[in-house]
Amino acid sequence: MPSKPAAITMDAVYAAPGYLFRRMQQIAVAIFVEECRAFDLTPVQYAALVSIHTHPGIDATRLSAVIAFDRSTLGNVIERLESKALVERKPAREDKRVKLLYLTKAGAATLREIMPSVERAQARMLQPLKAADRKVLLALMTQLVDLNNEASRVPLRAEDALEHLGKSG
Amino acid sequence: MPSKPAAITMDAVYAAPGYLFRRMQQIAVAIFVEECRAFDLTPVQYAALVSIHTHPGIDATRLSAVIAFDRSTLGNVIERLESKALVERKPAREDKRVKLLYLTKAGAATLREIMPSVERAQARMLQPLKAADRKVLLALMTQLVDLNNEASRVPLRAEDALEHLGKSG
DNA sequence: GCCTAATTGACAGCATACTTACAATCTGGC
DNA sequence: GCCAGATTGTAAGTATGCTGTCAATTAGGC
């Protein structure tokens, strides 16, 4: 007998991995913003600060590869960090196109001070799960993100991007 | 001995659940858009179509609760769907503030036709994992999203939102 | 050495995702 | 039946996240 097409129900949304990822991302951002309200930093801005801290003198294009953010998006993020005086852009001598990124004193201080709040936020996201399940979920997500790296429009290219630097990590 | 604060490395980003969720969401959208390119529908627009199909005559506020999208965001989404002639807005008789949402013929047809592509996309997101791991990840994500529901700015309120309707489910 | 290729940062444009605010409207308490 | 307060849709403002494109600059093939 010919199989009828399945009826379209809300399960086509609720049970879809894509919907769960979107929903969890919304929740994660909400928790982060709540815990870090005192610092007026978004998750993206925080990630940029960490990367510039870890790779001082990196340029915007390489930074976008290191945290897998779109180059255009990152430009705006850096602009905001600069206007908050957390980050400085200095023209590179060897290449007139490039601007090198550095944390200001205030940027380094903010990063140091926000860390406990960030850790609280990250913990809260997984809090509802049992400890063993947290580990499993983290491991599977790490695996999945890694294996799907090329599927995203801006793949993570941590190593490639750092070949020109002292290659600190 | 006093414990030194941990050095800030890129692990503060890469190993953080928030980063993994963001990254996976990026990947999921990229895969969805790629598989559904022929239909010019985003994941959010697809979810809205499914919900309006399942709950014809729903209003925008209730719809936002049913798929946990922000009311403002959803307004723009509906506007775009309307301009593509996939959705109609009709004023409610009993309440002059409310506009009821319906799929057009084209909207229903598009939804019917896009389903195979959506299912391909959803499958691709988890493809790299072993079958058993896919199940585990889906179960844990479902659990986590549910338990964290109240933490998001726009919690899912499927039942509440549908009390006024025929309550089709 | 020169000219094509690629790269870099910037910009414009579209689509989420949130905030606050507002006018129109409805509801409940009295 | 009126009025305070809630609800609905909408709008403006900010922040990702992507697509393009562009000028300036650099690098490579020859």
Side-chain angles (χ1 to χ4, degrees):
Chain A
M1 46 194 166
S3 66
K4 275 182 295 186
I8 299 174
T9 68
M10 285 307 291
D11 253 30
V13 174
Y14 295 152
Y19 178 76
L20 294 171
F21 293 135
R22 169 181 306 274
R23 194 84 189 87
M24 195 54 222
Q25 148 75 358
Q26 286 179 346
I27 290 166
V29 171
I31 290 176
F32 185 103
V33 169
E34 192 178 314
E35 289 292 342
C36 301
R37 190 177 300 286
F39 298 93
D40 188 33
L41 270 193
T42 66
V44 167
Q45 289 165 11
Y46 160 76
L49 281 192
V50 171
S51 306
I52 299 174
H53 169 84
T54 308
H55 311 299
I58 196 173
D59 62 285
T61 295
R62 244 144 295 268
L63 181 55
S64 87
V66 163
I67 46 183
F69 291 171
D70 180 80
R71 219 154 49 102
S72 296
T73 303
L74 191 58
N76 300 328
V77 174
I78 293 172
E79 216 172 282
R80 271 168 233 126
L81 289 174
E82 207 179 12
S83 79
K84 291 188 209 177
L86 301 179
V87 158
E88 273 180 325
R89 267 191 283 209
K90 298 182 185 174
R93 252 179 247 96
E94 336 79 60
D95 189 333
K96 285 180 201 162
R97 294 169 304 179
V98 172
K99 296 181 182 175
L100 307 180
L101 300 169
Y102 298 93
L103 292 195
T104 61
K105 285 237 166 99
T110 297
L111 186 54
R112 225 172 20 244
E113 289 160 21
I114 203 179
M115 290 304 293
S117 302
V118 171
E119 262 148 46
R120 254 197 317 280
Q122 301 295 348
R124 260 187 67 193
M125 295 173 197
L126 301 182
Q127 196 68 41
L129 293 182
K130 283 178 292 184
D133 286 345
R134 278 176 230 155
K135 278 197 181 168
V136 172
L137 179 59
L138 262 186
L140 289 177
M141 285 294 294
T142 303
Q143 220 185 111
L144 188 56
V145 163
D146 185 50
L147 294 172
N148 267 329
N149 190 38
E150 296 306 319
S152 78
R153 307 310 257 143
V154 188
L156 181 68
R157 303 235 183 270
E159 286 76 31
D160 299 15
L162 296 175
E163 268 165 19
H164 80 302
L165 288 180
K167 195 172 320 161
S168 22
Chain B
M1 47 194 167
S3 67
K4 274 184 295 188
I8 300 174
T9 68
M10 285 306 291
D11 253 30
V13 173
Y14 295 151
Y19 179 76
L20 293 171
F21 292 135
R22 170 182 304 276
R23 193 85 187 86
M24 195 55 221
Q25 149 74 357
Q26 286 179 346
I27 290 166
V29 171
I31 290 176
F32 185 103
V33 169
E34 192 178 314
E35 288 292 344
C36 301
R37 190 176 300 287
F39 298 93
D40 189 32
L41 270 193
T42 66
V44 166
Q45 289 166 11
Y46 160 76
L49 281 192
V50 171
S51 307
I52 298 174
H53 170 84
T54 307
H55 311 299
I58 197 172
D59 61 286
T61 295
R62 244 144 295 268
L63 180 56
S64 87
V66 164
I67 45 182
F69 290 172
D70 181 80
R71 217 156 48 103
S72 296
T73 303
L74 190 59
N76 300 327
V77 174
I78 293 172
E79 216 172 281
R80 270 168 233 124
L81 289 174
E82 207 179 12
S83 79
K84 291 189 209 177
L86 301 178
V87 158
E88 273 181 323
R89 268 191 283 209
K90 297 183 186 172
R93 253 178 250 96
E94 337 78 60
D95 189 333
K96 286 180 200 161
R97 294 169 305 177
V98 172
K99 296 181 182 175
L100 306 180
L101 299 169
Y102 298 92
L103 291 195
T104 62
K105 284 239 166 99
T110 298
L111 186 54
R112 223 172 21 244
E113 288 160 22
I114 202 179
M115 289 306 291
S117 302
V118 171
E119 261 148 46
R120 252 197 319 277
Q122 300 295 347
R124 260 187 67 194
M125 295 174 197
L126 301 182
Q127 195 69 42
L129 293 182
K130 284 178 293 186
D133 286 346
R134 277 175 232 157
K135 278 196 181 169
V136 172
L137 179 59
L138 261 186
L140 289 178
M141 285 294 294
T142 304
Q143 220 184 112
L144 189 56
V145 163
D146 186 50
L147 294 172
N148 268 328
N149 191 38
E150 296 305 319
S152 78
R153 307 310 259 144
V154 187
L156 180 69
R157 302 234 182 272
E159 286 76 31
D160 300 15
L162 295 176
E163 267 163 20
H164 82 299
L165 288 181
K167 197 172 318 158
S168 22

